[in-house]
Short mmCIF file of all heavy atoms in Angstrom, two decimals:
data_model
loop_
_atom_site.label_atom_id
_atom_site.label_comp_id
_atom_site.label_asym_id
_atom_site.label_seq_id
_atom_site.Cartn_x
_atom_site.Cartn_y
_atom_site.Cartn_z
N PRO A 343 -10.98 117.51 -33.86
CA PRO A 343 -12.26 117.42 -34.59
C PRO A 343 -13.03 116.14 -34.30
O PRO A 343 -14.24 116.09 -34.42
CB PRO A 343 -11.86 117.52 -36.06
CG PRO A 343 -10.42 117.16 -36.10
CD PRO A 343 -9.84 117.54 -34.77
N ARG A 344 -12.33 115.12 -33.87
CA ARG A 344 -12.98 113.83 -33.56
C ARG A 344 -14.02 113.99 -32.44
O ARG A 344 -15.07 113.37 -32.48
CB ARG A 344 -11.90 112.82 -33.15
CG ARG A 344 -12.40 111.45 -33.01
CD ARG A 344 -12.22 110.70 -34.33
NE ARG A 344 -12.64 109.34 -34.15
CZ ARG A 344 -13.71 108.83 -34.75
NH1 ARG A 344 -14.41 109.54 -35.57
NH2 ARG A 344 -14.06 107.58 -34.53
N ALA A 345 -13.72 114.86 -31.46
CA ALA A 345 -14.65 115.07 -30.35
C ALA A 345 -15.96 115.66 -30.87
O ALA A 345 -17.04 115.22 -30.46
CB ALA A 345 -14.04 115.98 -29.30
N LEU A 346 -15.89 116.61 -31.79
CA LEU A 346 -17.10 117.21 -32.35
C LEU A 346 -17.86 116.20 -33.21
O LEU A 346 -19.08 116.13 -33.15
CB LEU A 346 -16.77 118.46 -33.16
CG LEU A 346 -17.95 119.20 -33.75
CD1 LEU A 346 -18.95 119.63 -32.66
CD2 LEU A 346 -17.48 120.42 -34.53
N GLU A 347 -17.12 115.41 -33.97
CA GLU A 347 -17.76 114.38 -34.77
C GLU A 347 -18.54 113.40 -33.90
O GLU A 347 -19.68 113.04 -34.21
CB GLU A 347 -16.73 113.62 -35.60
CG GLU A 347 -16.14 114.43 -36.73
CD GLU A 347 -15.00 113.70 -37.43
OE1 GLU A 347 -14.84 112.47 -37.24
OE2 GLU A 347 -14.27 114.36 -38.17
N GLU A 348 -17.93 112.97 -32.80
CA GLU A 348 -18.60 112.04 -31.88
C GLU A 348 -19.83 112.67 -31.25
O GLU A 348 -20.88 112.03 -31.13
CB GLU A 348 -17.63 111.57 -30.80
CG GLU A 348 -16.60 110.59 -31.29
CD GLU A 348 -17.21 109.31 -31.84
OE1 GLU A 348 -18.15 108.76 -31.24
OE2 GLU A 348 -16.75 108.87 -32.92
N LEU A 349 -19.72 113.92 -30.86
CA LEU A 349 -20.85 114.63 -30.27
C LEU A 349 -21.99 114.74 -31.27
O LEU A 349 -23.16 114.51 -30.94
CB LEU A 349 -20.42 116.01 -29.78
CG LEU A 349 -21.49 116.84 -29.09
CD1 LEU A 349 -21.97 116.16 -27.80
CD2 LEU A 349 -20.94 118.23 -28.77
N MET A 350 -21.66 115.05 -32.52
CA MET A 350 -22.68 115.15 -33.57
C MET A 350 -23.38 113.80 -33.76
O MET A 350 -24.61 113.75 -33.89
CB MET A 350 -22.07 115.63 -34.88
CG MET A 350 -21.65 117.09 -34.86
SD MET A 350 -20.83 117.59 -36.39
CE MET A 350 -22.20 117.51 -37.55
N LYS A 351 -22.61 112.73 -33.79
CA LYS A 351 -23.19 111.40 -33.96
C LYS A 351 -24.14 111.07 -32.82
O LYS A 351 -25.24 110.55 -33.03
CB LYS A 351 -22.10 110.34 -34.05
CG LYS A 351 -21.35 110.34 -35.36
CD LYS A 351 -20.26 109.30 -35.36
CE LYS A 351 -19.42 109.39 -36.62
NZ LYS A 351 -18.29 108.46 -36.57
N GLN A 352 -23.74 111.39 -31.59
CA GLN A 352 -24.58 111.11 -30.43
C GLN A 352 -25.85 111.96 -30.44
O GLN A 352 -26.87 111.55 -29.90
CB GLN A 352 -23.79 111.35 -29.15
CG GLN A 352 -22.72 110.31 -28.93
CD GLN A 352 -21.99 110.52 -27.63
OE1 GLN A 352 -22.58 110.92 -26.64
NE2 GLN A 352 -20.70 110.25 -27.63
N ALA A 353 -25.77 113.13 -31.08
CA ALA A 353 -26.95 113.99 -31.17
C ALA A 353 -27.84 113.59 -32.35
O ALA A 353 -28.88 114.20 -32.57
CB ALA A 353 -26.52 115.45 -31.30
N GLY A 354 -27.42 112.57 -33.11
CA GLY A 354 -28.25 112.09 -34.21
C GLY A 354 -27.91 112.68 -35.56
O GLY A 354 -28.67 112.54 -36.51
N PHE A 355 -26.77 113.37 -35.67
CA PHE A 355 -26.34 113.94 -36.95
C PHE A 355 -25.24 113.09 -37.55
O PHE A 355 -24.37 112.61 -36.84
CB PHE A 355 -25.80 115.37 -36.76
CG PHE A 355 -26.83 116.34 -36.28
CD1 PHE A 355 -26.85 116.73 -34.95
CD2 PHE A 355 -27.76 116.87 -37.16
CE1 PHE A 355 -27.80 117.64 -34.50
CE2 PHE A 355 -28.71 117.78 -36.71
CZ PHE A 355 -28.73 118.15 -35.38
N ASP A 356 -25.28 112.91 -38.85
CA ASP A 356 -24.23 112.19 -39.56
C ASP A 356 -23.29 113.23 -40.15
O ASP A 356 -23.63 113.88 -41.14
CB ASP A 356 -24.83 111.33 -40.66
CG ASP A 356 -23.79 110.60 -41.49
OD1 ASP A 356 -22.60 110.60 -41.10
OD2 ASP A 356 -24.17 110.06 -42.53
N PRO A 357 -22.08 113.40 -39.56
CA PRO A 357 -21.16 114.41 -40.07
C PRO A 357 -20.86 114.28 -41.56
O PRO A 357 -20.70 115.27 -42.25
CB PRO A 357 -19.89 114.20 -39.24
CG PRO A 357 -20.35 113.53 -38.00
CD PRO A 357 -21.53 112.69 -38.42
N SER A 358 -20.81 113.06 -42.06
CA SER A 358 -20.49 112.88 -43.48
C SER A 358 -21.61 113.41 -44.38
O SER A 358 -21.36 113.76 -45.53
CB SER A 358 -20.21 111.40 -43.79
OG SER A 358 -21.39 110.63 -43.60
N SER A 359 -22.84 113.49 -43.87
CA SER A 359 -23.92 114.03 -44.69
C SER A 359 -23.78 115.54 -44.88
O SER A 359 -24.29 116.08 -45.86
CB SER A 359 -25.28 113.71 -44.06
OG SER A 359 -25.47 114.46 -42.87
N PHE A 360 -23.07 116.20 -43.98
CA PHE A 360 -22.83 117.63 -44.13
C PHE A 360 -21.72 117.90 -45.14
O PHE A 360 -21.70 118.93 -45.78
CB PHE A 360 -22.43 118.27 -42.79
CG PHE A 360 -23.56 118.39 -41.82
CD1 PHE A 360 -23.60 117.61 -40.69
CD2 PHE A 360 -24.59 119.29 -42.04
CE1 PHE A 360 -24.63 117.72 -39.78
CE2 PHE A 360 -25.64 119.41 -41.14
CZ PHE A 360 -25.67 118.62 -40.01
N PHE A 361 -20.78 116.97 -45.25
CA PHE A 361 -19.62 117.15 -46.10
C PHE A 361 -19.40 115.91 -46.97
O PHE A 361 -18.37 115.25 -46.89
CB PHE A 361 -18.37 117.39 -45.24
CG PHE A 361 -18.58 118.40 -44.15
CD1 PHE A 361 -18.73 118.00 -42.83
CD2 PHE A 361 -18.64 119.75 -44.45
CE1 PHE A 361 -18.92 118.93 -41.83
CE2 PHE A 361 -18.83 120.69 -43.44
CZ PHE A 361 -18.98 120.27 -42.14
N PRO A 362 -20.36 115.58 -47.84
CA PRO A 362 -20.27 114.33 -48.60
C PRO A 362 -19.05 114.24 -49.50
O PRO A 362 -18.50 113.16 -49.67
CB PRO A 362 -21.57 114.30 -49.41
CG PRO A 362 -22.06 115.70 -49.43
CD PRO A 362 -21.54 116.35 -48.19
N ASP A 363 -18.62 115.32 -50.08
CA ASP A 363 -17.47 115.31 -50.98
C ASP A 363 -16.27 116.00 -50.36
O ASP A 363 -15.32 116.36 -51.07
CB ASP A 363 -17.81 115.99 -52.30
CG ASP A 363 -18.97 115.28 -53.02
OD1 ASP A 363 -19.00 114.04 -52.98
OD2 ASP A 363 -19.82 115.98 -53.59
N GLY A 364 -16.34 116.24 -49.06
CA GLY A 364 -15.27 116.96 -48.41
C GLY A 364 -15.39 118.46 -48.57
O GLY A 364 -14.61 119.23 -48.05
N GLN A 365 -16.37 118.90 -49.34
CA GLN A 365 -16.60 120.32 -49.58
C GLN A 365 -18.03 120.66 -49.21
O GLN A 365 -18.93 119.85 -49.38
CB GLN A 365 -16.38 120.66 -51.06
CG GLN A 365 -14.97 120.41 -51.54
CD GLN A 365 -13.98 121.39 -50.93
OE1 GLN A 365 -14.28 122.56 -50.76
NE2 GLN A 365 -12.82 120.89 -50.56
N VAL A 366 -18.22 121.86 -48.74
CA VAL A 366 -19.57 122.28 -48.40
C VAL A 366 -19.66 123.80 -48.52
O VAL A 366 -18.67 124.50 -48.33
CB VAL A 366 -19.95 121.83 -46.96
CG1 VAL A 366 -19.15 122.57 -45.92
CG2 VAL A 366 -21.43 122.01 -46.71
N ASP A 367 -20.83 124.26 -48.88
CA ASP A 367 -21.09 125.70 -48.91
C ASP A 367 -21.54 126.09 -47.51
O ASP A 367 -22.73 126.16 -47.22
CB ASP A 367 -22.18 126.01 -49.94
CG ASP A 367 -22.62 127.47 -49.90
OD1 ASP A 367 -21.89 128.32 -49.37
OD2 ASP A 367 -23.73 127.74 -50.42
N MET A 368 -20.57 126.26 -46.61
CA MET A 368 -20.88 126.53 -45.21
C MET A 368 -21.72 127.80 -45.04
O MET A 368 -22.70 127.76 -44.32
CB MET A 368 -19.59 126.61 -44.37
CG MET A 368 -19.87 126.63 -42.89
SD MET A 368 -20.77 125.17 -42.28
CE MET A 368 -19.48 123.98 -42.25
N PRO A 369 -21.38 128.92 -45.69
CA PRO A 369 -22.25 130.09 -45.53
C PRO A 369 -23.68 129.81 -45.97
O PRO A 369 -24.64 130.20 -45.30
CB PRO A 369 -21.59 131.15 -46.42
CG PRO A 369 -20.15 130.76 -46.45
CD PRO A 369 -20.18 129.24 -46.44
N GLY A 370 -23.84 129.09 -47.08
CA GLY A 370 -25.18 128.75 -47.55
C GLY A 370 -25.92 127.87 -46.56
O GLY A 370 -27.11 128.07 -46.30
N MET A 371 -25.21 126.89 -46.00
CA MET A 371 -25.83 125.99 -45.03
C MET A 371 -26.25 126.77 -43.77
O MET A 371 -27.36 126.59 -43.28
CB MET A 371 -24.86 124.88 -44.65
CG MET A 371 -25.48 123.81 -43.76
SD MET A 371 -24.37 122.41 -43.53
CE MET A 371 -23.49 122.95 -42.08
N ILE A 372 -25.38 127.64 -43.28
CA ILE A 372 -25.71 128.43 -42.08
C ILE A 372 -26.88 129.35 -42.36
O ILE A 372 -27.80 129.45 -41.55
CB ILE A 372 -24.48 129.22 -41.61
CG1 ILE A 372 -23.42 128.24 -41.08
CG2 ILE A 372 -24.86 130.24 -40.54
CD1 ILE A 372 -22.08 128.86 -40.81
N ASN A 373 -26.87 130.00 -43.51
CA ASN A 373 -27.98 130.90 -43.85
C ASN A 373 -29.29 130.13 -43.95
O ASN A 373 -30.34 130.62 -43.50
CB ASN A 373 -27.70 131.65 -45.15
CG ASN A 373 -26.72 132.78 -44.95
OD1 ASN A 373 -26.69 133.41 -43.89
ND2 ASN A 373 -25.92 133.04 -45.96
N ASN A 374 -29.25 128.95 -44.52
CA ASN A 374 -30.46 128.13 -44.63
C ASN A 374 -30.98 127.71 -43.26
O ASN A 374 -32.18 127.76 -42.99
CB ASN A 374 -30.19 126.91 -45.51
CG ASN A 374 -31.45 126.15 -45.81
OD1 ASN A 374 -32.50 126.72 -46.07
ND2 ASN A 374 -31.36 124.84 -45.76
N LEU A 375 -30.06 127.28 -42.38
CA LEU A 375 -30.47 126.82 -41.05
C LEU A 375 -30.99 127.95 -40.17
O LEU A 375 -31.76 127.70 -39.24
CB LEU A 375 -29.30 126.12 -40.35
CG LEU A 375 -28.87 124.78 -40.93
CD1 LEU A 375 -27.57 124.32 -40.28
CD2 LEU A 375 -29.96 123.74 -40.74
N THR A 376 -30.58 129.16 -40.45
CA THR A 376 -30.92 130.28 -39.57
C THR A 376 -31.82 131.32 -40.24
O THR A 376 -31.98 132.42 -39.71
CB THR A 376 -29.64 130.98 -39.06
OG1 THR A 376 -28.92 131.50 -40.19
CG2 THR A 376 -28.77 130.02 -38.29
N LYS A 377 -32.41 130.96 -41.37
CA LYS A 377 -33.19 131.94 -42.14
C LYS A 377 -34.35 132.56 -41.37
O LYS A 377 -34.76 133.67 -41.65
CB LYS A 377 -33.68 131.32 -43.44
CG LYS A 377 -34.66 130.20 -43.25
CD LYS A 377 -35.03 129.56 -44.56
CE LYS A 377 -35.87 128.34 -44.27
NZ LYS A 377 -35.70 127.30 -45.23
N ASP A 378 -34.89 131.85 -40.39
CA ASP A 378 -36.03 132.37 -39.64
C ASP A 378 -35.64 133.15 -38.39
O ASP A 378 -36.53 133.63 -37.68
CB ASP A 378 -36.97 131.22 -39.26
CG ASP A 378 -37.60 130.56 -40.47
OD1 ASP A 378 -37.81 131.26 -41.49
OD2 ASP A 378 -37.87 129.35 -40.41
N LEU A 379 -34.36 133.28 -38.13
CA LEU A 379 -33.92 134.04 -36.96
C LEU A 379 -33.92 135.54 -37.27
O LEU A 379 -33.60 135.95 -38.38
CB LEU A 379 -32.52 133.61 -36.53
CG LEU A 379 -32.34 132.18 -36.08
CD1 LEU A 379 -30.89 131.92 -35.72
CD2 LEU A 379 -33.23 131.87 -34.88
N SER A 380 -34.21 136.32 -36.27
CA SER A 380 -34.20 137.77 -36.45
C SER A 380 -32.76 138.26 -36.57
O SER A 380 -31.82 137.60 -36.09
CB SER A 380 -34.86 138.46 -35.26
OG SER A 380 -34.04 138.34 -34.11
N PRO A 381 -32.55 139.43 -37.18
CA PRO A 381 -31.19 139.99 -37.26
C PRO A 381 -30.56 140.17 -35.88
O PRO A 381 -29.35 139.99 -35.72
CB PRO A 381 -31.40 141.34 -37.94
CG PRO A 381 -32.64 141.16 -38.75
CD PRO A 381 -33.51 140.24 -37.93
N GLU A 382 -31.36 140.49 -34.88
CA GLU A 382 -30.82 140.68 -33.53
C GLU A 382 -30.26 139.37 -32.97
O GLU A 382 -29.19 139.34 -32.37
CB GLU A 382 -31.91 141.22 -32.58
CG GLU A 382 -32.39 142.61 -32.90
CD GLU A 382 -33.41 142.66 -34.04
OE1 GLU A 382 -34.01 141.61 -34.42
OE2 GLU A 382 -33.61 143.77 -34.57
N VAL A 383 -31.01 138.28 -33.15
CA VAL A 383 -30.55 136.98 -32.66
C VAL A 383 -29.30 136.55 -33.43
O VAL A 383 -28.34 136.05 -32.84
CB VAL A 383 -31.67 135.92 -32.79
CG1 VAL A 383 -31.14 134.52 -32.52
CG2 VAL A 383 -32.81 136.25 -31.83
N LYS A 384 -29.27 136.78 -34.75
CA LYS A 384 -28.09 136.45 -35.53
C LYS A 384 -26.87 137.24 -35.03
O LYS A 384 -25.78 136.70 -34.93
CB LYS A 384 -28.32 136.74 -37.01
CG LYS A 384 -29.21 135.74 -37.70
CD LYS A 384 -29.33 136.09 -39.17
CE LYS A 384 -30.23 135.13 -39.89
NZ LYS A 384 -30.33 135.45 -41.33
N GLN A 385 -27.08 138.50 -34.71
CA GLN A 385 -25.97 139.31 -34.22
C GLN A 385 -25.46 138.77 -32.89
O GLN A 385 -24.24 138.66 -32.67
CB GLN A 385 -26.39 140.77 -34.07
CG GLN A 385 -25.24 141.66 -33.65
CD GLN A 385 -25.61 143.12 -33.63
OE1 GLN A 385 -26.78 143.47 -33.52
NE2 GLN A 385 -24.62 143.98 -33.74
N GLN A 386 -26.37 138.41 -32.00
CA GLN A 386 -25.96 137.85 -30.72
C GLN A 386 -25.21 136.54 -30.92
O GLN A 386 -24.17 136.30 -30.30
CB GLN A 386 -27.17 137.64 -29.81
CG GLN A 386 -27.78 138.92 -29.32
CD GLN A 386 -29.11 138.69 -28.61
OE1 GLN A 386 -29.66 137.61 -28.62
NE2 GLN A 386 -29.61 139.75 -27.99
N LEU A 387 -25.73 135.67 -31.78
CA LEU A 387 -25.06 134.40 -32.06
C LEU A 387 -23.68 134.63 -32.69
O LEU A 387 -22.71 133.94 -32.36
CB LEU A 387 -25.90 133.53 -32.98
CG LEU A 387 -27.10 132.84 -32.35
CD1 LEU A 387 -27.95 132.17 -33.42
CD2 LEU A 387 -26.65 131.83 -31.32
N SER A 388 -23.60 135.59 -33.59
CA SER A 388 -22.33 135.91 -34.21
C SER A 388 -21.29 136.32 -33.18
O SER A 388 -20.14 135.87 -33.22
CB SER A 388 -22.52 137.03 -35.24
OG SER A 388 -21.30 137.42 -35.79
N GLN A 389 -21.70 137.14 -32.23
CA GLN A 389 -20.77 137.58 -31.19
C GLN A 389 -20.35 136.40 -30.30
O GLN A 389 -19.17 136.28 -29.93
CB GLN A 389 -21.42 138.69 -30.35
CG GLN A 389 -21.57 139.97 -31.11
CD GLN A 389 -22.44 140.99 -30.39
OE1 GLN A 389 -23.13 140.68 -29.44
NE2 GLN A 389 -22.42 142.22 -30.88
N VAL A 390 -21.29 135.53 -29.96
CA VAL A 390 -20.96 134.35 -29.15
C VAL A 390 -19.99 133.45 -29.91
O VAL A 390 -18.98 132.99 -29.35
CB VAL A 390 -22.24 133.56 -28.76
CG1 VAL A 390 -21.89 132.20 -28.18
CG2 VAL A 390 -23.07 134.36 -27.78
N ILE A 391 -20.26 133.22 -31.18
CA ILE A 391 -19.40 132.36 -31.99
C ILE A 391 -18.00 132.95 -32.11
O ILE A 391 -17.00 132.24 -31.95
CB ILE A 391 -20.02 132.13 -33.38
CG1 ILE A 391 -21.29 131.27 -33.25
CG2 ILE A 391 -19.02 131.48 -34.34
CD1 ILE A 391 -22.15 131.25 -34.48
N GLN A 392 -17.92 134.26 -32.36
CA GLN A 392 -16.61 134.89 -32.47
C GLN A 392 -15.84 134.79 -31.15
O GLN A 392 -14.65 134.49 -31.15
CB GLN A 392 -16.76 136.36 -32.88
CG GLN A 392 -17.15 136.51 -34.33
CD GLN A 392 -17.47 137.95 -34.69
OE1 GLN A 392 -18.12 138.67 -33.93
NE2 GLN A 392 -17.01 138.37 -35.85
N GLY A 393 -16.51 135.02 -30.04
CA GLY A 393 -15.85 134.92 -28.75
C GLY A 393 -15.37 133.51 -28.45
O GLY A 393 -14.25 133.31 -27.98
N MET A 394 -16.23 132.54 -28.73
CA MET A 394 -15.84 131.14 -28.49
C MET A 394 -14.69 130.73 -29.40
O MET A 394 -13.76 130.06 -28.96
CB MET A 394 -17.04 130.21 -28.71
CG MET A 394 -18.01 130.20 -27.57
SD MET A 394 -19.43 129.11 -27.80
CE MET A 394 -18.73 127.65 -28.51
N ALA A 395 -14.76 131.12 -30.66
CA ALA A 395 -13.70 130.75 -31.60
C ALA A 395 -12.37 131.35 -31.17
O ALA A 395 -11.34 130.69 -31.22
CB ALA A 395 -14.07 131.21 -33.01
N TYR A 396 -12.40 132.59 -30.73
CA TYR A 396 -11.18 133.26 -30.27
C TYR A 396 -10.61 132.52 -29.06
O TYR A 396 -9.41 132.24 -28.99
CB TYR A 396 -11.50 134.71 -29.91
CG TYR A 396 -10.30 135.52 -29.49
CD1 TYR A 396 -9.44 136.06 -30.44
CD2 TYR A 396 -10.03 135.75 -28.15
CE1 TYR A 396 -8.34 136.81 -30.06
CE2 TYR A 396 -8.93 136.50 -27.75
CZ TYR A 396 -8.09 137.03 -28.72
OH TYR A 396 -7.00 137.76 -28.33
N GLU A 397 -11.48 132.15 -28.14
CA GLU A 397 -11.04 131.45 -26.94
C GLU A 397 -10.54 130.04 -27.25
O GLU A 397 -9.50 129.61 -26.76
CB GLU A 397 -12.19 131.38 -25.94
CG GLU A 397 -11.79 130.87 -24.59
CD GLU A 397 -12.91 131.02 -23.57
OE1 GLU A 397 -13.91 131.72 -23.82
OE2 GLU A 397 -12.77 130.41 -22.51
N LEU A 398 -11.28 129.32 -28.07
CA LEU A 398 -10.89 127.95 -28.41
C LEU A 398 -9.63 127.90 -29.26
O LEU A 398 -8.89 126.93 -29.23
CB LEU A 398 -12.02 127.24 -29.16
CG LEU A 398 -13.25 126.87 -28.34
CD1 LEU A 398 -14.37 126.39 -29.24
CD2 LEU A 398 -12.89 125.81 -27.31
N ASN A 399 -9.40 128.96 -30.01
CA ASN A 399 -8.25 129.01 -30.91
C ASN A 399 -7.06 129.71 -30.24
O ASN A 399 -6.16 130.18 -30.91
CB ASN A 399 -8.64 129.71 -32.21
CG ASN A 399 -7.80 129.28 -33.37
OD1 ASN A 399 -7.21 128.22 -33.37
ND2 ASN A 399 -7.76 130.11 -34.40
N ASN A 400 -7.10 129.78 -28.90
CA ASN A 400 -6.01 130.37 -28.11
C ASN A 400 -5.64 131.78 -28.56
O ASN A 400 -4.47 132.12 -28.65
CB ASN A 400 -4.79 129.46 -28.13
CG ASN A 400 -5.07 128.14 -27.46
OD1 ASN A 400 -5.71 128.09 -26.41
ND2 ASN A 400 -4.62 127.06 -28.06
#
Side-chain angles (χ1 to χ4, degrees):
R344 189 93 177 113
L346 182 58
E347 289 174 15
E348 286 300 316
L349 183 63
M350 289 176 68
K351 286 179 186 175
Q352 290 182 36
F355 295 102
D356 177 11
S358 65
S359 70
F360 287 110
F361 314 105
D363 300 321
Q365 298 291 321
V366 68
D367 173 19
M368 190 59 77
M371 187 172 89
I372 292 170
N373 283 327
N374 187 41
L375 291 171
T376 62
K377 65 184 173 212
D378 295 329
L379 297 179
S380 70
E382 294 80 16
V383 170
K384 286 182 181 181
Q385 184 174 23
Q386 290 171 350
L387 284 172
S388 176
Q389 291 169 347
V390 168
I391 291 167
Q392 287 173 318
M394 282 180 42
Y396 183 81
E397 189 171 348
L398 288 171
N399 207 22
N400 296 318

